[in-house]
Amino acid sequence: MRTLTAEIVTDKNKLIMPHFVVEGRGVREEIPSMPGITRISVDNLVRDVEQDMHLGVRQVLLFGIPAVKDDRGSGANDRNGIVQRAVRELKKAFPDLLIITDVCLCEYTDHGHCGVVSGDRVQNDPSLELLADTALSHAEAGADIVAPSDMMDGRVGAIRRVLDDSGHTEIPILSYAAKYSSSFYGPFRDAAGSAPQFGDRKTYQMDFRNSREALKEVFLDIEEGADIVMVKPALAYLDIISSVREHVDLPLCAYNVSGEYSMVKLMGSNGYADEWGLVAEILTSIFRAGADMIISYHTRDVFRYNIL
Ligand code: PBG
């Protein structure tokens, strides 16, 4: 009876599994700050995705970690870069897999910022061309959706123009529209080696005191051509998810980020709480707030242990 009267229905098929891809063969490195998540080379990625697909996972988000980083993030739009190769191999092996790629420079720059830097300043406009070309290189490799996470102003429009001009009119943009400057990204930056080497990301990511600004960011991205908008992080931002849901008809994605994942893992492994109970409650709360889809490092566990 409780199931019959429950106000929302949750669905595992609305979860997206992130992966960290590195150079080499046979590589599988534990990420100490994210128990259960590894950095893997493309061959192991294909193997893991195959197993995940048997469990039922249908969509992935890819992050590339290049062997060398430089000041302009040249690895990001390299046609033979780590993400581009990962996409090609995955598409070849699993034509039905939905592949989303993270479009950003911070994993590729030696300074760790999400855009081009001059002096001690991140340069918004000079970053756009590089970001748009990175998105194009992902589309050329076979990505189904590109997801810019850099938070430079104008990047959704720049990406849309470049995709359209080169015939990729059918590739949607999932924009990290309301992305807050957050301590919850700590474990991710450890995983990707992408912590900024100077300053912080507060000049381009949002201030967590602001909620009206989130709507402004979302509407700007929609005007520029975003097809799906994202709120990130999720857990401390359920009010933002709910307000975007109220004002926007586009599909809404929420990112259950690394710090949210690791908190649950630590509580679970210490026996402080029932881990699967926490996962079910957290993911359900994000759906209840209004998200249509969730990017979550718990995705594999949700399928494996039938959590939702
Ligand atoms: C890159 C990016 C970040 C995350 C996704 N894309 C890190 C950041 O902005 O510092 C965070 C994801 C997570 O914490 O799980 N810009």
Side-chain angles (χ1 to χ4, degrees):
M1 195 187 299
R2 282 190 208 108
T3 301
L4 281 177
T5 57
E7 294 179 28
I8 63 161
V9 178
T10 54
D11 186 350
K12 292 187 198 57
N13 294 314
K14 287 176 163 284
L15 299 179
I16 300 162
M17 178 72 195
H19 292 279
F20 298 104
V21 198
V22 293
E23 298 283 354
R25 283 192 72 77
V27 182
R28 180 178 299 280
E29 299 165 359
E30 300 290 333
I31 302 166
S33 58
M34 298 180 73
I37 302 293
T38 50
R39 280 184 287 253
I40 47 178
S41 49
V42 175
D43 52 335
N44 278 333
L45 173 70
V46 172
R47 216 161 288 150
D48 283 12
V49 167
E50 180 167 25
Q51 285 174 9
D52 286 351
M53 287 182 81
H54 283 303
L55 293 172
V57 179
R58 293 159 184 230
Q59 43 263 339
V60 295
L61 171 66
L62 300 183
F63 293 98
I65 303 164
V68 280
K69 305 183 187 233
D70 60 24
D71 66 335
R72 62 176 285 285
S74 341
N77 62 340
D78 182 347
R79 268 38 186 183
N80 210 22
I82 182 68
V83 165
Q84 292 79 355
R85 270 180 289 128
V87 171
R88 283 199 294 267
E89 291 299 317
L90 281 180
K91 260 292 149 191
K92 198 164 64 186
F94 318 109
D96 291 340
L97 176 73
L98 184 90
I99 303 175
I100 308 170
T101 54
D102 184 86
V103 175
C104 195
L105 301 186
C106 68
E107 297 97 337
Y108 302 91
T109 51
D110 50 13
H111 46 70
H113 278 289
C114 303
V116 178
V117 162
S118 165
D120 60 355
R121 294 244 160 207
V122 177
Q123 304 294 318
N124 190 93
D125 292 4
S127 306
L128 299 182
E129 198 184 326
L130 206 48
L131 288 161
D133 193 51
T134 300
L136 174 60
S137 72
H138 293 177
E140 287 169 351
D144 297 294
I145 300 179
V146 292
S149 68
D150 53 282
M151 285 299 274
M152 297 301 130
D153 292 332
R155 92 277 203 214
V156 173
I159 291 172
R160 186 71 269 161
R161 269 190 301 281
V162 166
L163 288 178
D164 288 351
D165 289 350
S166 42
H168 296 282
T169 49
E170 80 288 7
I171 300 295
I173 299 175
L174 190 179
S175 96
Y176 287 66
K179 177 174 176 179
Y180 285 85
S181 176
S182 170
S183 297
F184 283 100
Y185 307 150
F188 174 97
R189 292 180 185 173
D190 177 31
S194 64
Q197 296 306 299
F198 63 89
D200 53 39
R201 302 208 206 291
K202 290 186 199 295
T203 61
Y204 42 104
Q205 298 183 350
M206 288 181 54
D207 184 327
F208 58 73
R209 292 170 292 194
N210 296 352
S211 60
R212 291 191 299 273
E213 189 189 9
L215 288 176
K216 181 184 163 207
E217 290 281 1
V218 166
F219 283 124
L220 279 172
D221 283 6
I222 293 174
E223 251 167 60
E224 291 177 29
D227 300 280
I228 306 172
V229 290
M230 190 199 295
V231 172
K232 176 187 174 187
L235 208 44
Y237 299 85
L238 293 175
D239 58 327
I240 309 297
I241 295 173
S242 148
S243 117
V244 173
R245 173 72 301 157
E246 205 175 302
H247 291 90
V248 166
D249 291 328
L250 284 183
L252 173 57
C253 179
Y255 200 141
N256 176 216
V257 301
S258 57
E260 301 170 19
Y261 171 83
S262 299
M263 286 197 306
V264 168
K265 283 305 216 189
L266 287 176
M267 291 232 299
S269 62
N270 282 300
Y272 296 160
D274 164 28
E275 185 174 330
W276 305 150
L278 293 172
V279 172
E281 192 170 332
I282 287 171
L283 293 177
T284 301
S285 76
I286 300 168
F287 283 127
R288 195 186 60 228
D292 295 302
M293 65 194 88
I294 305 175
I295 300 166
S296 177
Y297 303 96
H298 296 294
T299 297
R300 178 181 294 139
D301 285 342
V302 170
F303 278 89
R304 193 185 280 154
Y305 303 107
N306 203 21
I307 294 172
L308 273 188

